[in-house]
């Protein structure tokens, strides 16, 4: 029994480590190419879909911290938003139906509170300026309208986060469908 638990934990840690690596690579690609989306949560969603809320949150936190110390200091602060998304995604997607329609509205439920948190971080810590060139430009432009800085940051975060997380969730849902059942079945087994 003890050996089974050890195998189970090693398997989970391996998937979390791979998910963190996916987040880091995606983040670096988006940063280098100055993409309007972030690509830093594909691994978070993979961990949330397959392992649940704790793994989703942990993946986002570790990925954000590593990205932060390896070149994008903003990632450290925004990792809090990633943790929130990973936890919510784990509750909404773990062992649940993942058809395209449910992914559309569940992604919105994941993104809404996290975008609010991101807008607070962007507005109050950084004055609307981050490492994402495109979104910084949009936030600064919107801050000159009736939306002001926080409204512009929230609207920009909501739209870009939704597109980014929708892409991630659809990609992960497609991948999870073709994975062997043993990969996503993490209930501790007594007879193996």
């Amino acid at each position: 029994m003890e050996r089974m638990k050890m195998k189970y934990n090693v398997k989970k840690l391996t998937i979390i480590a791979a998910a963190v690596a996916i987040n880091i690579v995606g983040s670096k690609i988006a940063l280098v190419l100055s993409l309007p989306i972030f690509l830093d949560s594909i691994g978070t969603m993979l961990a949330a879909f397959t392992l649940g809320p704790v793994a989703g949150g942990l993946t986002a936190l570790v990925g954000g911290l590593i990205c932060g110390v390896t070149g994008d200091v903003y990632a450290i602060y925004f990792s809090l938003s990633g943790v929130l998304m990973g936890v919510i995604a784990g509750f909404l997607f773990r062992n649940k139906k993942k058809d395209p329609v449910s992914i559309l509205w569940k992604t919105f439920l994941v993104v809404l509170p996290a975008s609010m948190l991101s807008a607070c971080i962007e507005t109050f810590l950084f004055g609307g300026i981050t490492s994402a060139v495109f979104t910084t430009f949009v936030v600064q432009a919107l801050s000159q309208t009736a939306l002001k800085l926080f409204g512009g940051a929230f609207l920009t975060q909501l739209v870009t986060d939704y597109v980014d997380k929708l892409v991630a969730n659809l990609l992960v849902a497609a991948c999870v469908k073709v994975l062997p059942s043993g990969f996503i079945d993490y209930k501790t087994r007594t007879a193996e």
Side-chain angles (χ1 to χ4, degrees):
M1 180 69 166
E2 190 63 36
R3 187 174 178 167
M4 291 266 287
K5 285 183 182 178
M6 193 166 149
K7 279 175 114 176
Y8 169 74
N9 288 332
V10 168
K11 197 174 186 182
K12 282 173 59 175
L13 288 173
T14 303
I15 291 168
I16 290 170
V20 167
I22 291 168
N23 281 356
I24 293 167
V25 169
S27 173
K28 297 302 180 189
I29 289 170
L31 194 60
V32 168
L33 298 177
S34 294
L35 297 176
I37 59 174
F38 313 110
L39 302 178
D40 62 350
S41 60
I42 298 168
T44 298
M45 295 307 158
L46 177 64
F49 272 52
T50 59
L51 299 173
V54 173
L58 182 63
T59 299
L61 179 64
V62 173
L65 294 175
I66 292 172
C67 284
V69 298
T70 60
D72 182 12
V73 72
Y74 295 101
I76 293 171
Y77 300 95
F78 286 100
S79 66
L80 298 174
S81 176
V83 169
L84 184 58
M85 277 189 266
V87 169
I88 295 170
F91 282 116
L92 291 176
F93 290 110
R94 173 84 170 112
N95 294 327
K96 306 279 190 315
K97 191 175 178 184
K98 297 173 190 80
D99 62 273
V101 173
S102 72
I103 290 174
L104 286 172
W105 68 266
K106 286 179 181 180
T107 298
F108 184 76
L109 294 178
V110 167
V111 167
L112 186 62
S115 294
M116 184 72 72
L117 178 57
S118 291
C120 289
I121 294 167
E122 188 171 356
T123 301
F124 302 116
L125 289 180
F126 303 116
I129 299 171
T130 66
S131 58
V133 177
F134 175 78
T135 56
T136 295
F137 174 77
V138 172
V139 168
Q140 293 303 315
L142 290 174
S143 72
Q144 303 305 310
T145 68
L147 291 173
K148 302 293 181 202
L149 184 58
F150 180 78
F154 175 66
L155 182 60
T156 304
Q157 285 292 334
L158 186 63
V159 171
T160 57
D161 278 348
Y162 184 76
V163 171
D164 182 56
K165 280 26 165 200
L166 184 60
V167 168
N169 288 341
L170 290 171
L171 180 64
V172 169
C175 290
V176 167
K177 280 184 182 179
V178 298
L179 290 174
S181 63
F183 185 84
I184 56 175
D185 181 18
Y186 289 98
K187 295 180 179 126
T188 307
R189 298 180 191 131
T190 54
E192 220 178 78

